Amino acid sequence: MDHANHTWTSSFLLAGFTTTGTLQPLAFLGTLCIYLLTLAGNLLVIVLVWADSGLSTPMYFFISVLSFLELWYVSTTVPMLLHTLLHGRSPISSAACFVQLYVFHSLGMTECCLLGVMALDRYLAICRPLHYHSLMSRQVQLWLAGASWVAGFSAALVPAGLTATLPFCLREVAHYFCDLAPLMRLVCVDTSWHDRVHGAVIGVATVCNFMFILGLYVGILRVVLKLPSAASRAKAFSTCSSHITVVALFYASAFTVYVGSPGSHLKGTDKHIALVYALLTPFLNPIIYTLRNKEVKGAMKRVSVRIRTLLNEP
């Protein structure tokens, strides 16, 4: 491509998924149902944590923060996915595209930090039980949650800002939202330096947090294996199982897509993998945290009784 002829594009065209015939309404309705259930599930978690005193612990506070994040995370991309499923290729302005890129990566990096904070909470609860409540006071909880958001939105400035300054020769994004890899394929100039910076920032943030979580769970495992009874060991592991599942889902997709050069993936594969971390994971998280959780089930019953009592009052 002749670099001398490159121009700045004022808009992009999101290709989305190619669906025809009866598959189109089925794909749209299926995605819409998952989206609505995701919103309902995460909202339910937030309401339960804030309405029931039985869930007023640091662990559930961080779960409610994660659910709040997932509401924004899924809403950043899924409405555009629904639009492309219904109308096919959809235009998006450059400004809106780069804002979406920044917000999506900010929320992703915030979740990365938040999962590390949640692992730290489990470590202190199991390995430092006598000092847990003093170490994880309400002020500390708010500080850790706030620091996760600040770190996530600060780190995402680098890849989003660098991408926004590049000249684009092509308009059609082989994705259903503006993400790094498909956007980098549309650039007219050599992006090897940008790819290295993107990979370094996202890779370091992801790998460091993953190693931090792994180190904490090694410490947890050592303490749990020293517990005297099988029942106490099972109880300790049960408080971590949901978090471990969520971490596995998040990092499996993150390592697949973002660790390495953003422009090195095969064209068309990004949007399929994105369905896992941008749609499926936010849908599964509230299920994972509530399905086998007796405390959450108890809170649901108590809140339901309170609501029925309020509705039956004259």
Side-chain angles (χ1 to χ4, degrees):
M1 186 177 296
D2 184 4
H3 291 178
N5 293 329
H6 68 256
T7 57
W8 293 85
T9 182
S10 61
S11 65
F12 294 100
L13 201 61
L14 297 174
F17 290 95
T18 304
T19 53
T20 56
T22 55
L23 284 177
Q24 185 175 11
L26 287 176
F28 175 81
L29 289 173
T31 304
L32 179 62
C33 287
I34 292 174
Y35 178 52
L36 294 177
L37 288 171
T38 301
L39 296 180
N42 284 288
L43 278 171
L44 176 63
V45 170
I46 295 170
V47 170
L48 287 175
V49 171
W50 290 97
D52 189 82
S53 58
L55 301 182
S56 58
T57 64
M59 182 179 77
Y60 289 109
F61 169 75
F62 291 124
I63 290 175
S64 70
V65 174
L66 179 64
S67 291
F68 177 74
L69 184 148
E70 297 289 24
L71 291 176
W72 291 100
Y73 193 61
V74 75
S75 297
T76 304
T77 59
V78 175
M80 187 57 72
L81 171 60
L82 292 170
H83 191 273
T84 57
L85 287 172
L86 200 59
H87 302 287
R89 296 190 303 172
S90 303
I92 182 172
S93 69
S94 296
C97 182
F98 295 132
V99 168
Q100 184 184 55
L101 174 70
Y102 171 65
V103 172
F104 180 76
H105 279 271
S106 296
L107 293 171
M109 289 191 174
T110 301
E111 181 166 353
C112 184
C113 296
L114 192 58
L115 290 174
V117 168
M118 294 170 77
L120 176 63
D121 172 67
R122 291 298 80 214
Y123 175 83
L124 293 176
I126 295 171
C127 302
R128 300 288 187 272
L130 298 178
H131 305 285
Y132 174 60
H133 291 290
S134 60
L135 291 172
M136 197 59 72
S137 64
R138 191 63 170 180
Q139 185 178 359
V140 172
Q141 293 171 45
L142 293 171
W143 187 90
L144 288 172
S148 298
W149 284 84
V150 171
F153 275 75
S154 299
L157 281 171
V158 177
L162 285 177
T163 305
T165 62
L166 291 168
F168 294 87
C169 293
L170 302 174
R171 292 184 63 237
E172 185 166 327
V173 182
H175 212 304
Y176 63 87
F177 69 93
C178 292
D179 203 1
L180 268 180
L183 281 174
M184 295 301 285
R185 296 192 192 100
L186 310 182
V187 177
C188 322
V189 296
D190 178 43
T191 61
S192 56
W193 180 81
H194 296 80
D195 287 342
R196 286 194 294 270
V197 174
H198 294 163
V201 173
I202 298 173
V204 167
T206 306
V207 172
C208 285
N209 271 283
F210 180 74
M211 295 305 294
F212 177 67
I213 293 171
L214 193 62
L216 290 173
Y217 272 108
V218 168
I220 289 172
L221 184 62
R222 287 175 177 172
V223 171
V224 171
L225 291 177
K226 293 177 182 178
L227 293 176
S229 66
S232 58
R233 289 195 294 270
K235 184 178 179 181
F237 277 128
S238 69
T239 64
C240 301
S241 59
S242 297
H243 182 255
I244 292 172
T245 305
V246 171
V247 167
L249 281 171
F250 179 84
Y251 280 98
S253 55
F255 283 140
T256 302
V257 177
Y258 295 113
V259 175
S261 171
S264 63
H265 312 291
L266 292 174
K267 184 178 179 180
T269 60
D270 306 280
K271 60 186 178 183
H272 293 93
I273 301 172
L275 290 175
V276 176
Y277 62 84
L279 179 63
L280 188 61
T281 302
F283 169 69
L284 290 176
N285 281 356
I287 298 174
I288 292 168
Y289 279 117
T290 60
L291 191 61
R292 297 176 62 186
N293 193 311
K294 294 180 180 179
E295 292 176 330
V296 174
K297 290 179 180 179
M300 289 177 68
K301 290 179 182 178
R302 291 189 293 271
V303 172
S304 297
V305 169
R306 286 165 59 186
I307 292 174
R308 283 198 297 268
T309 303
L310 290 172
L311 292 175
N312 292 332
E313 285 183 356

